[in-house]
Amino acid sequence: MAVAEFAATSSTSYAKTSHHHCSSQLSYVSNRLSHHRKINFRPHARTQNAKICCSVTSKEVQATVAIPTQDLKKKPECYGVFCLTYDLRAEEETKSWKKLINIAVSGAAGTISNHLLFKLASGEVFGPDQPIALKLLGSERSFQALEGVAMELEDSLYPLLREVSIGIDPYEVFQDADWTLLIGAKPRGPGMERAALLDINGKIFADQGKALNAVASPNVKVIVVGNPCNTNALICLKNAPNIPAKNFHALTRLDENRAKCQLALKAGVFYDKVSNMTIWGNHSTTQVPDFLNARINGLPVKEVIKDTKWLEEDFTEIVQKRGGALIQKWGRSSAASTAVSIVDAMKSLVTPTPEGDWFSSGVYTNGNPYGIAEDIVFSMPCRSKGDGDYELVKDVIIDDFLRARIKKTEAELLAEKKCVAHLTGDGIAVCDLPEDTMLPGEM
């Protein structure tokens, strides 16, 4: 592993090469004028025919290269093994590696990302032969922490992690992103009303939607985690008209996982026996964990769990307030299980859904078969062929009890939509929320 030291000056470039054979090239560019840093890790294809050329003559063991001022912002800083650059021609011919997948992550210095990034780098989502690039978005305040994250990723020696870049400008970080995980958001503080949180975080996601629209891959898949995630996803997609609205998701997979856990505990079975679990609606305490269509060992839940009162009252409340209960017990939020649920949500889109099963995701409602109001982001049952896309499940039962619960969470999302109309291009905002419901995990 080669390590390059940081330079104290702001616009100096160095190139170091071997004196005789030009077998490797180590380049370092220091640019304190830009807050964006890119770290390239491209393992050398070890083949006899691989040829690497020097950027300087053999007599120039060390030479200073002048960089035009206008190019400085395009020359990000790098360090350590990610600074090594190679001739990739031979590697590109290697069929065992797939085309690089670019994954952008906002809030990359936060606790959720601290668990998530290492799962992504290990191949847990896309498999053991899929190289990835991580593009990490932070803020001025978190930039030094981002550097630490990059150092930890470097020290972990993940062979699939080919590139890491960090920055504070979404227009740089989201460049050519194939997947974008929007985790960063302001938490709801004491005394803050939900309407205020919608406005503060909504502006963040409006800006990020514009950046995605401008520079991301045209078919980028976006998973919104920052709360209130359903309406933030709506804001984001409305500000990214060039990206299919169907590509935006609000994370409700953690709620689904929690619901499966509770049903398994009640039935006395392991959680993998629970299937067809749906979370309907908003990621708030109005969400609806659906026991009517869920199954245990292939049987309807109501045939296995006869306690109707528990299903209709206790089960729903436990799932809705699980995050808050965890904070009360542990004193911290559910960052690790949230990271796991993000991985689960991604895997559900890149892996074919088992026959007869489905998964939950907050998706755009236009054209839904359930009679749910259009033009909102609502958690519904989905299936995937494993191509990153999904289709809504049609063979579900909705009785009067379930319909009434769905209508309540729908009303909340419609009210939230009016509250952020100024951010979605729908006119003047009018905040008249039915009630100031809590987000799962809020005290």
Side-chain angles (χ1 to χ4, degrees), residues 188-243:
R188 185 176 182 180
M192 181 186 293
E193 294 184 358
R194 190 178 179 89
L197 185 67
L198 282 164
D199 183 61
I200 293 170
N201 281 338
K203 292 174 182 175
I204 295 172
F205 287 87
D207 290 342
Q208 291 181 350
K210 292 172 185 175
L212 287 168
N213 194 64
V215 301
S217 166
N219 197 36
V220 61
K221 304 298 188 293
V222 183
I223 298 179
V224 177
V225 181
N227 283 317
C229 63
N230 291 63
T231 298
N232 285 340
L234 179 68
I235 293 167
C236 198
L237 72 87
K238 288 287 188 175
N239 283 276
N242 295 337
I243 300 170

Side-chain angles (χ1 to χ4, degrees), residues 261-401:
C261 174
Q262 295 307 310
L263 290 177
L265 288 171
K266 184 69 173 178
V269 300
F270 199 56
Y271 64 84
D272 64 347
K273 304 301 182 184
V274 182
S275 64
N276 304 82
M277 187 67 231
T278 308
I279 299 294
W280 296 93
N282 201 5
H283 178 65
S284 76
T285 49
T286 66
Q287 66 176 265
V288 186
D290 179 3
F291 59 83
L292 181 63
N293 290 284
R295 292 179 172 269
I296 299 174
N297 278 320
L299 298 173
V301 165
K302 294 182 76 173
E303 292 184 16
V304 178
I305 300 175
K306 306 292 188 180
D307 190 343
T308 302
K309 183 178 182 298
W310 182 86
L311 288 172
E312 293 184 354
E313 297 177 13
D314 297 348
F315 167 65
T316 299
E317 185 174 350
I318 289 171
V319 175
Q320 289 174 340
K321 298 181 179 180
R322 179 73 165 183
L326 187 147
I327 290 174
Q328 189 173 14
K329 294 285 187 181
W330 202 27
R332 63 184 73 176
S333 62
S334 50
S337 54
T338 300
V340 169
S341 71
I342 295 170
V343 168
D344 289 343
M346 297 176 74
K347 287 170 67 175
S348 289
L349 292 170
V350 300
T351 308
T353 307
E355 184 68 28
D357 202 359
W358 59 70
F359 60 90
S360 302
S361 188
V363 294
Y364 198 48
T365 54
N366 282 15
N368 79 86
Y370 316 116
I372 295 166
E374 297 204 335
D375 203 34
I376 55 176
V377 171
F378 199 93
S379 185
M380 298 180 283
C382 305
R383 289 192 182 110
S384 177
K385 296 178 182 178
D387 55 0
D389 202 354
Y390 66 92
E391 60 182 15
L392 294 176
V393 178
K394 296 179 180 178
D395 49 339
V396 296
I397 303 168
I398 300 180
D399 62 8
D400 291 342
F401 177 84

Side-chain angles (χ1 to χ4, degrees), residues 35-333:
H35 291 288
H36 178 68
R37 302 189 179 192
K38 186 173 182 180
I39 308 150
N40 291 319
F41 182 24
R42 293 171 173 159
H44 174 41
R46 290 180 171 82
T47 60
Q48 289 182 339
N49 297 327
K51 183 178 180 182
I52 301 169
C53 298
C54 296
S55 60
V56 294
T57 67
S58 60
K59 294 181 180 179
E60 294 174 294
V61 177
Q62 180 171 317
T64 300
V65 181
I67 301 174
T69 304
Q70 61 269 25
D71 292 338
L72 281 174
K73 291 185 179 179
K74 299 177 183 178
K75 300 281 187 179
E77 295 184 41
C78 61
Y79 51 86
V81 295
F82 292 111
C83 259
L84 292 173
T85 57
Y86 300 95
D87 183 342
L88 295 178
R89 284 175 297 180
E91 185 180 0
E92 288 170 356
E93 297 172 0
T94 305
K95 302 302 180 183
S96 61
W97 293 100
K98 300 177 181 177
K99 182 181 177 183
L100 193 74
I101 292 178
N102 293 310
I103 307 170
V105 182
S106 76
T111 53
I112 294 173
S113 295
N114 192 45
H115 296 278
L116 174 65
L117 296 175
F118 299 88
K119 290 179 174 293
L120 296 174
S122 71
E124 190 168 335
V125 174
F126 297 104
D129 62 347
Q130 176 59 67
I132 67 167
L134 289 176
K135 299 169 170 282
L136 311 181
L137 180 66
S139 62
E140 286 272 8
R141 187 175 61 181
S142 69
F143 192 78
Q144 188 171 335
L146 277 183
E147 292 180 313
V149 171
M151 291 170 70
E152 272 213 288
L153 287 167
E154 176 184 62
D155 293 345
S156 298
L157 302 181
Y158 289 113
L160 295 173
L161 182 58
R162 315 306 292 283
E163 296 181 9
V164 174
S165 59
I166 61 179
I168 63 173
D169 182 358
Y171 285 87
E172 292 181 352
V173 177
F174 294 167
Q175 185 74 44
D176 299 323
D178 300 301
W179 287 79
T180 303
L181 312 175
L182 300 180
I183 300 173
K186 181 180 177 64
R188 185 176 182 180
M192 181 186 293
E193 294 184 358
R194 190 178 179 89
L197 185 67
L198 282 164
D199 183 61
I200 293 170
N201 281 338
K203 292 174 182 175
I204 295 172
F205 287 87
D207 290 342
Q208 291 181 350
K210 292 172 185 175
L212 287 168
N213 194 64
V215 301
S217 166
N219 197 36
V220 61
K221 304 298 188 293
V222 183
I223 298 179
V224 177
V225 181
N227 283 317
C229 63
N230 291 63
T231 298
N232 285 340
L234 179 68
I235 293 167
C236 198
L237 72 87
K238 288 287 188 175
N239 283 276
N242 295 337
I243 300 170
K246 192 177 182 182
N247 288 17
F248 290 80
H249 298 257
L251 184 74
T252 55
R253 187 53 173 267
L254 179 55
D255 304 309
E256 176 189 328
N257 290 352
R258 288 167 169 168
K260 284 181 175 179
C261 174
Q262 295 307 310
L263 290 177
L265 288 171
K266 184 69 173 178
V269 300
F270 199 56
Y271 64 84
D272 64 347
K273 304 301 182 184
V274 182
S275 64
N276 304 82
M277 187 67 231
T278 308
I279 299 294
W280 296 93
N282 201 5
H283 178 65
S284 76
T285 49
T286 66
Q287 66 176 265
V288 186
D290 179 3
F291 59 83
L292 181 63
N293 290 284
R295 292 179 172 269
I296 299 174
N297 278 320
L299 298 173
V301 165
K302 294 182 76 173
E303 292 184 16
V304 178
I305 300 175
K306 306 292 188 180
D307 190 343
T308 302
K309 183 178 182 298
W310 182 86
L311 288 172
E312 293 184 354
E313 297 177 13
D314 297 348
F315 167 65
T316 299
E317 185 174 350
I318 289 171
V319 175
Q320 289 174 340
K321 298 181 179 180
R322 179 73 165 183
L326 187 147
I327 290 174
Q328 189 173 14
K329 294 285 187 181
W330 202 27
R332 63 184 73 176
S333 62

Side-chain angles (χ1 to χ4, degrees), residues 15-34:
K16 294 183 180 178
T17 63
S18 64
H19 187 74
H20 298 291
H21 302 291
C22 301
S23 59
S24 66
Q25 175 180 302
L26 173 62
S27 62
Y28 168 65
V29 178
S30 176
N31 173 19
R32 298 295 180 190
L33 301 179
S34 171

